Amino acid sequence: PVLRRWCGGRRGAATACFPLGRALLGVRGAEAAVFLQGLLTNDVTQLVAAGDTSPALYAHALNVQGRCLYDVILYRLHGSTAQEPDILLECDSSVLDSIQKHLKLYKIRRKVTITPCPDLSLWAVIPGDASSLPKSADQALLLTPDPRAEVMGWRLIAKKGANVSEIIPGSQVGDVQDYHRHRYKQGIPEGVEDLPPGVALPLESNLAFMNGVSFTKGCYIGQELTARTHHMGVIRKRLLPVSFPEPLPGSSIPAGTEILTESGKRAGKFRAGQGELGIALLRLAHTKEPLCMHLAGDTVRLRASTPQWWPKAAAK
């Protein structure tokens, strides 16, 4: 598995727990799953189905034009289908108010309550050794593999103020900037900087690669464009990790900065980054060419790479 190969490079390093600034919303009630099913790209019935299913699900909420509004991870808290659905929704904290308004707009008369959960904390867990992570953690509300990609480790939800080193013995609290650097190295978008609301397209953002969309679930808001693009099978641009071999002339690169080939052809646009790593929306036809950007009169060179965790057919 890719995670074990990545962990091999950190062999002997402690499991790192990164405190995330993402927000959590409780979506509870008899019709919670049915309600979310019509708003999200993934099949929420999988999350609440009987059997040994994963307690986490990745998805996007789209606008009517089929562009991404919010990237979310859903967590199942109820233990069985006999219990009333109890779901936590993880989202970018900067859009907490707007996503609540979005959900309540479509709630109508459904038996659902939507409430923020400020008493809970969310952590990303990247193991130093894949075998070092406990199978369960009594003090954790939930400890589950990240549903997007194995290279992203685990997600931990605990009470605010909980001692993570007690939940995962031998772990260390890491700098969240290192978590973002890891994301960018793997080409995993997260939040409004990587996925600008009303701009980002889900399949160009590798939603299918990250287990975030169902093409068989039926109707949901924004489905038409996503389904048509999938069935046509033509995706000319994708989010890819990029790296800068030379020191940058400034502290940051403006989002949307144009990326060019050496011959001056438009190759794509920069989204966000951390240090010498970043993520960019690039035309696949140009990803193997030398690339550059013009910043404050300087030419900054960069290179794109294809993540190892992608499906083999997509990496060609």
Side-chain angles (χ1 to χ4, degrees), residues 166-217:
E166 292 181 2
I167 297 174
I168 304 176
S171 64
Q172 295 179 353
V173 175
D175 185 338
V176 72
Q177 300 305 326
D178 289 334
Y179 164 76
H180 292 306
R181 285 170 53 80
H182 174 61
R183 279 200 307 106
Y184 290 131
K185 188 174 183 179
Q186 301 299 337
I188 301 284
E190 184 178 286
V192 297
E193 288 189 359
D194 300 347
L195 300 164
V199 175
L201 288 167
L203 298 187
E204 289 184 351
S205 304
N206 305 322
L207 185 66
F209 293 173
M210 294 188 290
N211 312 303
V213 59
S214 169
F215 297 107
T216 59
K217 62 171 278 187

Side-chain angles (χ1 to χ4, degrees), residues 13-309:
T15 294
C17 299
F18 301 99
L20 303 181
R22 308 260 290 172
L24 290 167
L25 276 175
V27 184
R28 303 176 175 91
E31 297 181 286
V34 177
F35 166 61
L36 292 171
Q37 181 79 337
L39 297 177
L40 300 176
T41 56
N42 216 338
D43 189 352
V44 184
T45 62
Q46 293 180 1
L47 188 71
V48 298
D52 189 23
T53 57
S54 171
L57 190 78
Y58 180 57
H60 284 185
L62 309 180
N63 63 16
V64 293
Q65 289 80 31
R67 295 183 181 270
C68 178
L69 287 178
Y70 315 106
D71 63 305
V72 303
I73 298 179
L74 303 180
Y75 303 97
R76 180 186 70 238
L77 297 185
H78 55 283
S80 71
T81 54
Q83 294 176 291
E84 193 170 84
D86 187 353
I87 298 170
L88 283 182
L89 183 150
E90 171 195 330
C91 65
D92 190 311
S93 58
S94 69
V95 297
L96 179 60
D97 289 342
S98 61
I99 198 170
Q100 286 185 84
K101 291 176 183 177
H102 179 75
L103 294 174
K104 289 175 181 178
L105 176 66
Y106 292 97
K107 177 176 173 285
I108 313 176
R109 295 184 179 88
R110 291 195 183 278
K111 297 177 181 178
V112 177
T113 60
I114 302 164
T115 53
C117 302
D119 58 325
L120 299 179
S121 60
L122 176 69
W123 300 76
V125 180
I126 306 293
D129 184 327
S131 64
S132 70
L133 209 58
K135 299 299 181 184
S136 63
D138 294 338
Q139 295 184 51
L141 189 63
L142 191 69
L143 176 65
T144 181
D146 190 308
R148 298 171 295 181
E150 194 174 12
V151 292
M152 292 308 297
W154 296 58
R155 267 329 204 230
L156 167 66
I157 299 174
K159 290 289 185 181
K160 188 80 76 176
N163 189 334
V164 180
S165 63
E166 292 181 2
I167 297 174
I168 304 176
S171 64
Q172 295 179 353
V173 175
D175 185 338
V176 72
Q177 300 305 326
D178 289 334
Y179 164 76
H180 292 306
R181 285 170 53 80
H182 174 61
R183 279 200 307 106
Y184 290 131
K185 188 174 183 179
Q186 301 299 337
I188 301 284
E190 184 178 286
V192 297
E193 288 189 359
D194 300 347
L195 300 164
V199 175
L201 288 167
L203 298 187
E204 289 184 351
S205 304
N206 305 322
L207 185 66
F209 293 173
M210 294 188 290
N211 312 303
V213 59
S214 169
F215 297 107
T216 59
K217 62 171 278 187
C219 295
Y220 57 89
I221 295 173
Q223 178 203 18
E224 185 178 350
L225 176 62
T226 305
R228 187 168 68 244
T229 303
H230 169 69
H231 292 300
M232 288 175 63
V234 179
I235 300 174
R236 295 185 173 87
K237 293 182 288 184
R238 285 192 180 276
L239 280 181
L240 285 164
V242 294
S243 59
F244 302 92
E246 303 168 2
L248 298 179
S251 59
S252 63
I253 301 170
T257 298
E258 195 161 61
I259 299 174
L260 306 170
T261 66
E262 280 193 333
S263 62
K265 292 182 180 178
R266 294 179 179 177
K269 292 184 177 181
F270 185 80
R271 281 278 174 83
Q274 186 71 249
E276 78 282 5
L277 300 172
I279 196 167
L281 183 66
L282 295 170
R283 294 184 181 277
L284 296 176
H286 299 308
T287 54
K288 295 182 180 180
E289 299 179 38
L291 302 172
C292 66
M293 295 186 296
H294 298 306
L295 292 173
D298 292 318
T299 298
V300 176
R301 302 192 182 282
L302 67 156
R303 58 173 175 262
S305 59
T306 300
Q308 290 186 352
W309 60 268

